Amino acid sequence: MAEELVLYTNPMSRGRIARWMLEEAGTPYRTELLGFGEPMKSPAYRAINPMGKVPAIVHGQTVVTECAAICAYLADAFPKAELAPALSDRGAYYRWLFFAAGPLEAAVSNKALGLVVPPEREMMIGYGSYSIVLDTLEQALSGRDFIAGGRFTAADVYVGSHLQWGLQFGSIEKRPAFETYAARLAERPAAQRASALDDAAAAQMKSPG
Ligand SMILES: N[C@@H](CCC(=O)N[C@@H](CS)C(=O)NCC(=O)O)C(=O)O
């Protein structure tokens, strides 16, 4: 019997990334919706994620938190969906997953907070500067349909989610390479299914019953 797979999420959160990845994986899962505040900080949920943040997945006995890790785990756990490249081709795949979870996320969050790294301190900050992070990602996407290798992978779910979110909320500059890539990913049936499920969940949480 297949192990149970549960997504702990809030539809107005990064949990949308995990939902998209689950839809790409094409495997059945159960969703537990958690409200912000007390439900996410309850001892029961903190036993799953001590951070009291979503998303998290529980697959049998395995708990995975952190969106990038969830994407990578699901790609490996459900290989039929072919969302992870062969080990010999994983250089770019790991690079961009970790780049987005580290430098990109930090640079974009700090930018949104108005925090600017003084130029003389850029060498000690992992992302250097917001502009070098965006330039690096733009270069990686130029002339390429997908971020790692020639086909769609879990790295596209994660990198693409950052870009879609950042372009929508103005925290990432609207550069043509970003917009083209984000638009291409938004056309994926799994992305659209995930959005529809989360939009419905958001409506349900607003007016329960
Ligand atoms: N590094 C985590 C970030 C998770 C995160 O920050 N989740 C936010 C929503 S987008 C959250 O749960 N906030 C609720 C809280 O901190 O109380 C990941 O990538 O999954």
Side-chain angles (χ1 to χ4, degrees), residues 15 26 63 102 109 135 163 173 209:
V63 176
S109 300
D135 291 351
L163 284 173
E173 290 166 11

Side-chain angles (χ1 to χ4, degrees), residues 47-128:
I48 293 168
N49 186 356
M51 292 286 284
K53 284 180 176 284
V54 289
I57 60 165
V58 179
H59 183 210
Q61 300 298 309
T62 305
V63 176
V64 192
T65 71
E66 302 302 315
C67 287
I70 291 171
C71 290
Y73 174 83
L74 290 172
D76 284 341
F78 300 99
K80 277 197 196 134
E82 298 189 341
L83 295 165
L87 190 60
S88 54
D89 285 334
R90 285 202 181 190
Y93 174 75
Y94 284 134
R95 175 202 285 210
W96 297 113
L97 272 172
F98 283 78
F99 183 86
L104 180 63
E105 159 119 20
V108 171
S109 300
N110 282 350
K111 166 97 167 146
L113 294 174
L115 301 173
V116 179
V117 179
E120 71 279 10
R121 310 303 291 274
E122 285 177 6
M123 63 187 292
M124 61 160 291
I125 297 297
Y127 69 82

Side-chain angles (χ1 to χ4, degrees), residues 4 8 14 24 31 35 48-49 56 70 77 79 85 98 119-120 131 142 147 159 183 193-194:
E4 191 188 28
Y8 293 84
R14 290 170 174 85
E24 293 284 354
T31 304
I48 293 168
N49 186 356
I70 291 171
F98 283 78
E120 71 279 10
S131 58
S142 298
I147 190 70
V159 172
R193 274 198 312 277

